[in-house]
Amino acid sequence: MSQTATFVFCAILATAYSADRKFPPGFIFGAGTSSYQIEGGWNVTDKSESIWDVFAHTPGKVRNDDNGDIACDSYNKWKDDVQMAADLGLHFYRFSLSWPRLLPTGFPNEISEDGKNYYNNLIDGLLEKGIQPVITIYHWELPQRLQNLGGWTNPSITDWFADYARVVYTLYADRVKTWITINEPIIMCDLSYNTGVTAPGIKDPLASYMCGKHVMIAHAKAWRIYDKEFKPKHKGRVSVTNQLIWFEAKTPEEEELAKLTRDLSVGLHSHPIYSKEGGWPPVIEEYIAKKSKEEGYARSRLPEFTPEEIELVKGTYDFYALNYYTGGTIRKARDGETIDPWPLSGLPELEAVIEKRPEWKKSEVYWFSVYPEGLRKQLVWLKENYGDLEFLIVENGYPSIGLNLQDLNRISCIEGHLEQILLAIKEDGINITGYTVWSLMDNFEWNEGYSIKFGLYEVDFADPARTRTPRASAHYYASVIKSHTLDVNIVENKHITDEL
Ligand code: PNW
């Protein structure tokens, strides 16, 4: 690592090669961040407000009333970020674009010079170090103006997003070859519009599925624009990323309910794109239609796709991108039991309660237990349901609380997931081509503010310089990448000052 004076209390050494711990040639490693979570620079030059600026500036919305005004100050310190990515030896760095930084009006009538240059510099800086930029076009930073017009509940957003996507392809497709249109439709729609814990904080039982439909169409339009107008020349690839929590039955009697849970939580935003017939998963469509009728609605709360929309969305992928963190068990709620909302306490829609198995290792963060086997099971499920796709894991990581450079729990969590990835590749024949740690560094963890840390690098948010320090996990990950194996020994209590 470049900070030679840094104390790290464990050393990571690559050991002898063993075939089953080796990654396939061409398997790539990265780390991820997103714009609002790291950039800061919330009101520089002509940037307009995003829904997160407004939300985080509203007292009581974010833990400790934290906000992303400065965050990791990556708006000013992007060169440090590139250097960290280079020190880790990353093959790619996944980051996102701030829509209101690039298009202050929300629309392409005005493209910000400052915003355009910021991402140009970042992309060029990465490429100079041989690191591929992987761009998420939308990681939850909507211009507030568009929210005032209904945001993701207004069907016009599918065109607003498509227009924005065309601008970013025009600016960057010459250098960026891997694109994620939208981050985690199910989480974004539910937390933003149903439980209301994230921006814009709307709590409306109908809004989440409206958002869910428009996200699918917005993604499809953006995918088709790239496919038609940019792919022939630039030869890149575009997909959407789904957040997948692996749900399994608590007892064998609950297998049917667990299956329905997967059809809802994974199928809702996969079936329209990856299945042969397209559209919502039929069992879910029927289930919600029936329930909506019983509740007295004139039509299903899950808005229908027209036949044209089904065709528009179907097949709009170049690979399957997924974020995986944890698992849950499913059981039927008892009579009168209160079901806390999704994503990790319960699924009121299915009258299901989500719990953790006692044997899964707990983290310091309530929603997160370490269940790497769930990732392999999830990949097998996806292959069985949608065929032999290419899978790119674009988020996986470990949350902790408080400052701690010796993050051995994070190391063992990452190692556990990488072991399962190797098993999925070698035993199940699944085509997984890359892995991404969330996150390159500690950052603004949405409604939890800075209280939860995911970073390979620790960031000192009390320090105006936002000093970044590599944790033990950074050394571990660098060593895995360099050796292209999991044959990496962790030697505790050794003081290393040398470059890896
Ligand atoms: C993702 N869950 O969100 C986001 O893409 C990141 O921006 C975020 O920082 C990261 O994961 C860590 O939370 C998630 O409930 C939200 O399982 C919710 C869940 C998982 C990921």
Side-chain angles (χ1 to χ4, degrees):
M1 298 278 143
S2 57
Q3 281 113 319
T4 48
T6 304
F7 277 81
V8 175
F9 301 97
C10 73
I12 319 288
L13 305 168
T15 56
Y17 159 89
S18 75
D20 58 338
R21 306 274 286 175
K22 197 165 169 51
F23 289 92
F27 187 92
I28 50 174
F29 292 94
T33 59
S34 87
S35 53
Y36 187 76
Q37 295 181 274
I38 65 162
E39 285 177 5
W42 75 282
N43 62 354
V44 293
T45 66
D46 51 351
K47 179 183 171 289
S48 67
E49 280 184 320
S50 76
I51 53 173
W52 271 98
D53 292 317
V54 173
F55 188 77
H57 289 155
T58 310
K61 296 293 186 188
V62 174
R63 189 179 296 274
N64 303 321
D65 283 339
D66 287 343
N67 61 54
D69 289 3
I70 303 174
C72 307
D73 199 20
S74 289
Y75 177 74
N76 294 304
K77 294 176 71 85
W78 61 268
K79 283 186 187 157
D80 293 33
D81 302 352
V82 171
Q83 189 57 50
M84 283 146 61
D87 287 345
L88 289 169
L90 299 185
H91 302 120
F92 66 93
Y93 174 48
R94 175 183 175 219
F95 61 95
S96 78
L97 307 176
S98 163
W99 188 339
R101 190 181 300 291
L102 272 171
L103 303 183
T105 69
F107 296 95
N109 62 318
E110 212 179 293
I111 299 172
S112 163
E113 270 303 298
D114 185 64
K116 189 175 91 179
N117 292 338
Y118 176 67
Y119 296 114
N120 265 329
N121 288 335
L122 178 57
I123 291 166
D124 292 343
L126 289 165
L127 289 172
E128 273 167 32
K129 304 263 185 200
I131 302 163
Q132 290 299 316
V134 170
I135 287 189
T136 313
I137 300 174
Y138 184 79
H139 200 127
W140 309 353
E141 238 197 309
L142 191 71
Q144 179 62 34
R145 181 187 182 190
L146 302 187
Q147 187 59 49
N148 297 345
L149 299 172
W152 288 98
T153 62
N154 183 338
S156 296
I157 199 161
T158 65
D159 289 325
W160 305 337
F161 179 74
D163 295 343
Y164 162 52
R166 183 182 278 108
V167 170
V168 307
Y169 297 145
T170 307
L171 294 174
Y172 308 124
D174 57 339
R175 287 154 290 156
V176 177
K177 303 299 169 193
T178 306
W179 297 88
I180 308 286
T181 52
I182 293 168
N183 185 65
E184 300 183 344
I186 201 155
I187 298 285
M188 136 190 172
C189 290
D190 213 75
L191 299 190
S192 302
Y193 290 102
N194 184 19
T195 58
V197 296
T198 59
I202 289 167
K203 297 180 193 203
D204 187 315
L206 290 187
S208 174
Y209 292 141
M210 293 165 78
C211 168
K213 175 180 171 183
H214 301 146
V215 159
M216 290 287 89
I217 294 177
H219 154 76
K221 287 184 176 177
W223 187 90
R224 291 191 182 283
I225 287 171
Y226 187 88
D227 199 57
K228 186 157 175 258
E229 300 170 29
F230 297 87
K231 194 173 189 172
K233 180 157 183 215
H234 296 298
K235 314 267 187 281
R237 299 152 9 112
V238 183
S239 210
V240 59
T241 189
N242 281 314
Q243 160 61 18
L244 307 179
I245 299 159
W246 172 251
F247 289 116
E248 57 191 38
K250 184 169 186 191
T251 62
E253 293 80 68
E254 269 135 343
E255 192 43 61
E256 271 307 299
L257 184 59
K259 191 175 169 312
L260 197 61
T261 306
R262 294 191 287 265
D263 285 332
L264 177 64
S265 67
V266 185
L268 196 68
H269 294 106
S270 298
H271 197 275
I273 299 174
Y274 300 96
S275 70
K276 293 206 169 39
E277 62 276 23
W280 300 124
V283 283
I284 295 300
E285 196 162 35
E286 276 164 37
Y287 179 93
I288 300 175
K290 183 164 170 277
K291 209 170 160 202
S292 305
K293 202 166 172 196
E294 286 163 8
E295 290 161 351
Y297 288 102
R299 62 191 72 237
S300 178
R301 285 183 280 105
L302 181 66
E304 274 183 19
F305 284 118
T306 64
E308 294 74 29
E309 287 169 340
I310 289 177
E311 288 309 310
L312 176 77
V313 177
K314 202 168 75 178
T316 53
Y317 67 89
D318 295 307
F319 55 95
Y320 192 109
L322 68 142
N323 301 355
Y324 177 84
Y325 285 92
T326 191
T329 61
I330 290 292
R331 69 164 170 82
K332 187 101 192 122
R334 299 182 194 104
D335 282 349
E337 183 175 2
T338 322
I339 309 170
D340 284 335
W342 159 269
L344 282 149
S345 309
L347 273 169
E349 184 72 280
L350 303 181
E351 286 143 50
V353 174
I354 301 168
E355 290 162 334
K356 305 283 188 188
R357 292 206 198 280
E359 58 269 30
W360 296 348
K361 195 172 164 214
K362 288 192 176 63
S363 75
E364 294 156 79
V365 171
Y366 77 96
W367 60 268
F368 191 100
S369 295
V370 184
Y371 189 40
E373 294 81 1
L375 172 58
R376 181 176 173 194
K377 291 179 186 176
Q378 183 65 77
L379 288 158
V380 169
W381 186 96
L382 288 168
K383 187 178 174 185
E384 279 171 6
N385 280 270
Y386 306 120
D388 197 2
L389 305 170
E390 176 192 336
F391 294 97
L392 184 63
I393 295 159
V394 297
E395 276 185 39
N396 176 243
Y398 182 84
S400 57
I401 290 176
L403 297 177
N404 178 13
L405 290 178
Q406 198 186 356
D407 57 343
L408 300 182
N409 286 338
R410 181 168 291 107
I411 293 180
S412 79
C413 181
I414 292 172
E415 183 186 32
H417 286 87
L418 287 171
E419 275 169 358
Q420 294 299 314
I421 289 169
L422 281 178
L423 287 170
I425 294 172
K426 292 175 188 198
E427 304 287 323
D428 308 322
I430 297 179
N431 180 22
I432 308 162
T433 53
Y435 172 82
T436 315
V437 170
W438 185 272
S439 171
L440 177 63
M441 62 188 141
D442 295 342
N443 57 49
F444 178 84
E445 177 56 15
W446 305 117
N447 56 316
E448 299 289 351
Y450 298 101
S451 64
I452 296 180
K453 324 273 181 193
F454 273 92
L456 294 170
Y457 281 72
E458 185 168 276
V459 177
D460 183 354
F461 292 102
D463 174 1
R466 295 300 190 268
T467 309
R468 294 114 150 90
T469 310
R471 292 199 168 103
S473 57
H475 292 265
Y476 168 77
Y477 196 45
S479 189
V480 169
I481 296 172
K482 197 171 179 186
S483 67
H484 213 66
T485 76
L486 278 182
D487 283 326
V488 164
N489 272 350
I490 302 161
V491 183
E492 284 191 59
N493 299 319
K494 191 168 182 294
H495 172 201
I496 54 162
T497 53
D498 299 335
E499 298 273 325
L500 276 169

